[in-house]
Amino acid sequence: MSQVSGLLRVGPKLTLADIDPASTPGLPGRKVVRRDPKAWARAELAELGAELARQQEMLFANAKKDRTFRHRVLLVLQAMDCGGKDGTIKKVAGTMNPQGLHIVGFGPPTPLELKHDFLWRIRKAVPSAGLVGVFNRSHYEDVLVVRVRKLVTKRVWLTRYPQINDFELELFESGVTLVKVMLHISYEEQRQRLLARLDDPTKHWKYNPDDVDNRAYWPAYQEAYQDALARCSTDHAPWYVVPADRKWYRDWAVAHLLLDAMSGLNLRYPAADFDPQRERARLEEGTR
Ligand code: ADP
């Protein structure tokens, strides 16, 4: 595990309020980094991205060649509005081959989804072997927005934490490597990002007046995040809090977290199930 993963990992004694959204845990203190951390992190992201792409290709290749291969990776992204989920997907998942990605966003449940238990739509979206899945929001909304906006009773949302832990254990045992990331922004940074959206007509499609109403619920959301992260960070499905006020740090850190999880699978390119020498000879014969 890299130092970054260790630093960002949520333990049972998490206090979200103690984590500074503008901080940069694990960023090297070397002079070259200090001089221009943003430029350094962006350059590093390019290298991390190349390695992510290689890991993803090995994952994909193993699933293609071996019908019993079960591994898949699932990055779960949660954040307050304007927290940077879309940007992270673009910058970090975007380093990998789109063919090997399975990206799913979760909005308010449809009438059909509401007729099922909250994990129904989630189960259907779990990536199959060989893929890297990304959840843009997830089953955690059912203990976040649902709790804060009182869409179900406390009794109901309280039972969901153990249900989530059981579900994620089931995923782990069926070959899913989970990387759960909360992009942690500050109240002020959210305001700045909403203002930036207003300032730029090409960003108006992203602006939702409801986001401003939601700001009144900020403390309740932080409390709900705190609970969800502390109760559902397990060895088989850890949570990470990534300080996300600085976009360059956010991308660099999430790339590290994903790469750590993927390199932990110790993947190799599958060995040839044919004799390359013999195949070469056959091809050369054909050219004569
Ligand atoms: P985003 O805001 O992530 O860009 P959308 O505009 O589709 O994407 O909004 C998603 C909305 O859906 C959020 O307001 C979120 O709180 C809501 N949502 C997601 N899951 C649930 C759920 N299980 N119950 C109620 N609301 C949900």
Side-chain angles (χ1 to χ4, degrees):
M1 191 164 65
S2 81
Q3 197 208 0
V4 185
S5 294
L7 288 170
L8 301 181
R9 188 170 169 155
V10 171
K13 291 207 182 91
L14 168 79
T15 312
L16 195 52
D18 287 349
I19 302 176
D20 177 0
S23 61
T24 57
L27 200 74
R30 297 197 304 273
K31 211 165 154 192
V32 51
V33 186
R34 284 202 314 269
R35 202 162 42 221
D36 189 348
K38 181 174 173 178
W40 181 85
R42 286 290 182 225
E44 263 252 324
L45 179 62
E47 283 174 33
L48 293 168
E51 183 54 22
L52 276 174
R54 197 178 76 91
Q55 292 285 338
Q56 184 211 25
E57 189 175 64
M58 290 194 287
L59 188 70
F60 193 85
N62 276 285
K64 187 122 188 153
K65 296 305 276 185
D66 175 1
R67 285 155 53 95
T68 64
F69 185 83
R70 311 281 292 143
H71 291 297
R72 41 252 162 92
V73 174
L74 177 56
L75 174 66
V76 171
L77 289 176
Q78 284 290 157
M80 297 295 288
D81 296 322
C82 301
K85 293 181 282 89
D86 294 341
T88 305
I89 292 173
K90 190 168 156 186
K91 289 283 173 44
V92 180
T95 62
M96 292 179 273
N97 183 344
Q99 200 170 200
L101 292 173
H102 184 68
I103 302 173
V104 185
F106 295 97
T110 63
L112 175 65
E113 287 168 350
L114 281 173
K115 286 199 174 108
H116 291 268
D117 76 281
F118 76 104
L119 293 172
W120 184 70
R121 63 176 183 164
I122 306 294
R123 287 181 191 279
K124 291 195 294 184
V126 172
S128 50
L131 297 184
V132 175
V134 182
F135 281 1
N136 184 346
R137 303 186 187 269
S138 66
H139 43 304
Y140 282 92
E141 291 293 328
D142 290 278
V143 287
L144 295 167
V145 62
V146 167
R147 163 176 164 169
V148 171
R149 305 306 292 261
K150 299 189 167 48
L151 303 181
V152 299
T153 62
K154 180 170 183 183
R155 232 176 61 123
V156 171
W157 58 254
L158 269 178
T159 61
R160 288 183 173 169
Y161 301 109
Q163 281 177 302
I164 288 175
N165 286 337
D166 288 350
F167 167 63
E168 291 180 352
L169 180 60
E170 190 191 304
L171 290 183
F172 171 75
E173 285 174 346
S174 68
V176 180
T177 299
L178 277 145
V179 182
K180 302 184 296 186
V181 175
M182 182 214 181
L183 304 175
H184 184 41
I185 57 161
S186 63
Y187 188 67
E188 175 55 21
E189 180 67 17
Q190 186 190 57
R191 194 175 74 93
Q192 294 299 338
R193 290 185 187 181
L194 286 168
L195 285 171
R197 286 181 184 181
L198 284 179
D199 286 345
D200 179 353
T202 70
K203 299 264 169 67
H204 284 176
W205 64 276
K206 281 192 180 187
Y207 188 87
N208 180 355
D210 291 347
D211 291 352
V212 182
D213 300 316
N214 245 329
R215 279 171 64 75
Y217 297 91
W218 185 277
Y221 270 108
Q222 297 294 304
E223 204 182 319
Y225 265 107
Q226 157 89 34
D227 265 3
L229 270 53
R231 288 173 190 238
C232 300
S233 189
T234 56
D235 282 344
H236 55 269
W239 265 109
Y240 299 92
V241 175
V242 171
D245 276 6
R246 299 171 203 261
K247 294 175 181 172
W248 53 264
Y249 172 79
R250 173 199 77 195
D251 297 338
W252 176 84
V254 176
H256 262 293
L257 296 176
L258 252 189
L259 195 51
D260 264 3
M262 294 180 82
S263 34
L265 297 174
N266 294 314
L267 298 168
R268 300 276 174 273
Y269 277 101
D273 51 6
F274 50 83
D275 177 355
Q277 298 273 49
R278 190 162 168 267
E279 294 304 306
R280 180 176 297 280
R282 284 193 328 130
L283 283 163
E284 280 168 358
E285 218 163 81
T287 57
R288 256 182 242 139

